[in-house]
Amino acid sequence: MKRILPLGICLGLMGMILFFYPLSFATKEKYLREEGLQPTVLPSEITGIAALDFKGLAADFQLLQAIFFIGQKIDRSEMITVEDWQRFIRMIHAVIDLDPYFFDPYYFAGALLAWGPGMYEDAIGILKRALDHRPDDAFILFRIGFVYYYFLNDFENGARYIATAAQKPNAPDFYAPLAARLSYYAGDTNFSLLLLKSMLKDTRSPEIRKYYEKRILALEGMQILENAVRRFQEERQDSPKNLEELVDAGFLDSIPEDPYGGHFYLMPTGRIYTTSKLVEIKEHSQTVLEN
Amino acid sequence: MWPVAAITFLEGIRSRVLYGIFIFACSVILLSFVFAHFFMQDIGKVAVDFNLAALSLAGLLMSLSISVDLIGKDLDKKTIYFVLSKPISRNAYILGKYSGILLISLMAYLIIALLTCFALMLLQSFHADYFKNFAWLPYMQAVFLDYIKISLFNALILFFGSFSTSSFLNMMFSLCIYIAGQSYSDVIRFLSVQHHGEQISPVVHYVIQTSKYIVPNFELFDMKILAAHGRLMAFSDLIPIMGYGFAYIALLVGLSMIIFRKKEFL
């Protein structure tokens, strides 16, 4: 009995800790959220001095802070304001100042800023900072070329960066033919799909993979529709008036759904586009509201 | 000299603090397994950061606890009278103490470095695709330079121990100089940039510029970031750094011997 009692008390106290911990953690989180407290972004001049000889480790933790800050908001489907994105950019620049050779901040911010809020110039700005410290990194050059080509419709710069990437050691074999075909296939859905699928293969981040997968799904829908329009034109020597005509004529079983929540439509040029403009309908309306 | 070195070494490895530091280092090494999963591509870099930080932190903690204690113990407990009554010169005593401390640090560095190598090999086998920039030679170079840094830090502790009357004061002096030595290059860089027209006091400038000739620059021995990215420093570039380290160690040990020789024990 003398031994069982202390053991029982210990187990009881441990049980209390396990019971109260998640409750108290959730309460603290709630208060922090209500107060709107944001992570502090210390300038790298301060963190660099304070980190002593552990600057690499400080860069790792600061990047984790940036990933969690924006990742939590994405996971909770919270509204991400322009100020939030600006804070995120400042955090990434602070990480790069601490360890300019670190690949992840360029990779993560470059992709997220382009795919999320559409801050293409900021994405390119961060990716270009890598060129001073990782001049032989074909992957970074490819990403810069991709943002120019895909988002900014700047095919000349897109081709130039991907061609430079192709000349780097360890560049994948498909970069060179891709650069050569870039101008010719400007705006082509099949070509964009090829680019996106190659990037998805190299991507480990679940947040960024989600962006790619959704866009691939949308482009595959557009590809199906464009192929049906082409077959229609070849067989009937005429263009369909709308997408429903393709279904009525038996060229399609049904019109694919736009994963962004919009509706595909046929443009006068014969190309397919969508009312969502390939942006999540909720995000799209939020951006409009903020502007 | 060697009997003092042997006694210092044996005293050091009997210290329970040493085991605590080993447990701490092992915990940081284990943390690298957890944290590596939070990153997307540069997992090798993060793993090296954690493992080199474990080694470097363990070295610092060991110096601040065991070295400070080993140097101050004889004076605090008055066993110095017994030691100096033997046919051992004061210079041999100082050299013996420093050699003993260097041996303990060497042993600890070898064991922790071996553990970190094992951890890195394991992580590399799990994430081979994300260890493309990793190379063993730069890693070993960083470990070696960190050992020189800790030897210099121990020489600094020995120097303060030769005239300081308390172990706590010795620890505080050494720690302050270490922090200053790690950060004054950054402060100089920071001051060299104009900050919105704000004028920095010329006195501050003078103090910082002078400090670089007095305070040892510990930052020179920090190759962790380069090692994390698999970048090897050329041997010709290593020579001046090693020369600086060895010269500073020799100077501090020499000064310690001079001060200790003139010290009066009441």
Side-chain angles (χ1 to χ4, degrees), chain B residues 19 33 40 72 91 93 120 156 161 186 188 220 230 245 251-252 257:
Chain B
Y19 301 112
F33 284 88
M40 289 149 278
N91 283 352
Y93 173 80
L120 284 172
L156 193 73
D186 283 323
I188 290 170
L220 290 176
L251 176 75
L252 287 169
M257 290 196 301

Side-chain angles (χ1 to χ4, degrees), chain B residues 20 41 54 74 85 94-95 135 143 162 167 170-171 176 212-213 237 240 258-259 266:
Chain B
Q41 301 284 330
D74 284 345
S85 64
I94 286 286
L95 278 176
V143 173
S162 65
S167 296
N170 182 0
M171 190 181 79
C176 289
K212 73 178 170 194
Y213 298 107
D237 295 329
I258 294 168
I259 295 169
L266 300 170

Side-chain angles (χ1 to χ4, degrees), chain A residues 45 48-49 52-57 60-61 64 67 98-99 101-104 107-108 202 204-205, chain B residues 35 38-43 45 49-50 53 56 130 149 178 182-183 186 190 222 224-225 229 231:
Chain A
E45 288 93 342
I49 293 169
L52 299 176
D53 55 335
F54 302 102
K55 290 184 180 63
L57 203 62
D60 299 345
F61 279 111
L64 267 188
I67 292 174
L98 283 173
D99 184 355
Y101 304 104
F102 195 4
F103 179 76
D104 281 21
Y107 164 81
F108 187 65
D202 294 328
R204 199 166 158 262
S205 161
Chain B
F35 275 88
F38 291 136
F39 291 86
M40 289 149 278
Q41 301 284 330
D42 235 343
I43 294 177
K45 180 258 178 211
D49 278 342
F50 268 85
S56 198
Y130 302 102
K149 177 199 80 181
Y178 180 78
Q182 273 294 354
S183 46
D186 283 323
F190 180 64
D222 177 23
K224 293 189 203 71
I225 285 190
H229 296 285
R231 299 165 82 94

Side-chain angles (χ1 to χ4, degrees), chain B:
Chain B
M1 170 190 138
W2 292 115
V4 180
I7 291 168
T8 310
F9 177 73
L10 288 174
E11 254 187 300
I13 57 169
R14 271 203 294 264
S15 167
R16 286 188 185 164
V17 182
L18 195 65
Y19 301 112
I21 292 168
F22 270 119
I23 294 169
F24 166 77
C26 290
S27 317
V28 179
I29 293 168
L30 283 176
L31 272 182
S32 68
F33 284 88
V34 180
F35 275 88
H37 286 278
F38 291 136
F39 291 86
M40 289 149 278
Q41 301 284 330
D42 235 343
I43 294 177
K45 180 258 178 211
V46 176
V48 172
D49 278 342
F50 268 85
N51 282 282
L52 283 178
L55 186 88
S56 198
L57 273 172
L60 276 178
L61 289 175
M62 222 162 52
S63 304
L64 288 170
S65 55
I66 298 170
S67 306
V68 168
D69 186 48
L70 286 175
I71 290 163
K73 206 185 227 173
D74 284 345
L75 293 172
D76 287 345
K77 294 191 174 172
K78 314 282 182 202
T79 44
I80 190 80
Y81 301 111
F82 174 72
V83 178
L84 294 179
S85 64
K86 302 277 173 193
I88 295 170
S89 71
R90 290 193 179 195
N91 283 352
Y93 173 80
I94 286 286
L95 278 176
K97 275 274 168 193
Y98 186 63
S99 309
I101 288 166
L102 282 191
L103 277 176
I104 300 165
S105 333
L106 184 67
M107 187 199 70
Y109 261 64
L110 285 177
I111 294 173
I112 299 172
L114 215 66
L115 287 173
T116 61
C117 289
F118 182 64
L120 284 172
M121 274 194 274
L122 263 181
L123 272 164
Q124 197 175 12
S125 65
F126 297 151
H127 308 279
D129 287 347
Y130 302 102
F131 266 73
K132 282 177 189 154
N133 290 329
F134 176 73
W136 285 106
L137 211 54
Y139 185 78
M140 291 305 167
Q141 198 176 56
V143 173
F144 171 67
L145 284 172
D146 207 77
Y147 180 68
I148 297 184
K149 177 199 80 181
I150 223 66
S151 304
L152 175 58
F153 188 48
N154 280 320
L156 193 73
I157 291 171
L158 184 82
F159 170 70
F160 285 123
S162 65
F163 60 82
S164 153
T165 48
S166 109
S167 296
F168 178 74
L169 277 181
N170 182 0
M171 190 181 79
M172 290 311 290
F173 285 147
S174 311
L175 190 61
C176 289
I177 296 288
Y178 180 78
I179 293 171
Q182 273 294 354
S183 46
Y184 72 71
S185 302
D186 283 323
V187 176
I188 290 170
R189 267 178 234 132
F190 180 64
L191 292 180
S192 65
V193 180
Q194 289 293 320
H195 294 281
H196 311 293
E198 280 176 33
Q199 286 293 314
I200 308 287
S201 152
V203 180
V204 175
H205 253 294
Y206 181 73
V207 168
I208 290 165
Q209 290 296 336
T210 316
S211 69
K212 73 178 170 194
Y213 298 107
I214 300 170
V215 177
N217 190 340
F218 286 103
E219 197 204 6
L220 290 176
F221 307 98
D222 177 23
M223 294 294 152
K224 293 189 203 71
I225 285 190
L226 290 184
H229 296 285
R231 299 165 82 94
L232 187 71
M233 186 183 251
F235 184 69
S236 54
D237 295 329
L238 265 183
I239 293 173
I241 297 175
M242 283 162 61
Y244 175 82
F246 291 139
Y248 229 118
I249 291 171
L251 176 75
L252 287 169
V253 174
L255 284 173
S256 309
M257 290 196 301
I258 294 168
I259 295 169
F260 197 71
R261 223 166 33 208
K262 298 195 178 212
K263 194 172 177 124
E264 286 186 18
F265 299 104
L266 300 170

Side-chain angles (χ1 to χ4, degrees), chain A residues 165-233:
Chain A
Q167 290 164 6
K168 298 293 173 189
N170 306 323
D173 294 337
F174 69 90
Y175 279 14
L178 208 61
R181 284 149 59 194
L182 206 59
S183 307
Y184 181 74
Y185 287 105
D188 183 85
T189 309
N190 293 330
F191 189 66
S192 301
L193 260 173
L194 189 75
L195 267 176
L196 278 168
K197 283 181 178 170
S198 72
M199 282 163 67
L200 182 70
K201 248 193 323 196
D202 294 328
T203 304
R204 199 166 158 262
S205 161
E207 282 96 352
I208 297 168
R209 282 189 77 90
K210 263 187 245 168
Y211 281 117
Y212 290 167
E213 282 162 354
K214 192 176 258 189
R215 186 62 63 102
I216 286 171
L217 205 64
L219 290 184
E220 277 173 347
M222 289 162 79
Q223 189 185 38
I224 292 169
L225 291 169
E226 281 183 359
N227 288 343
V229 170
R230 206 170 300 122
R231 281 204 314 276
F232 186 100
Q233 286 169 335

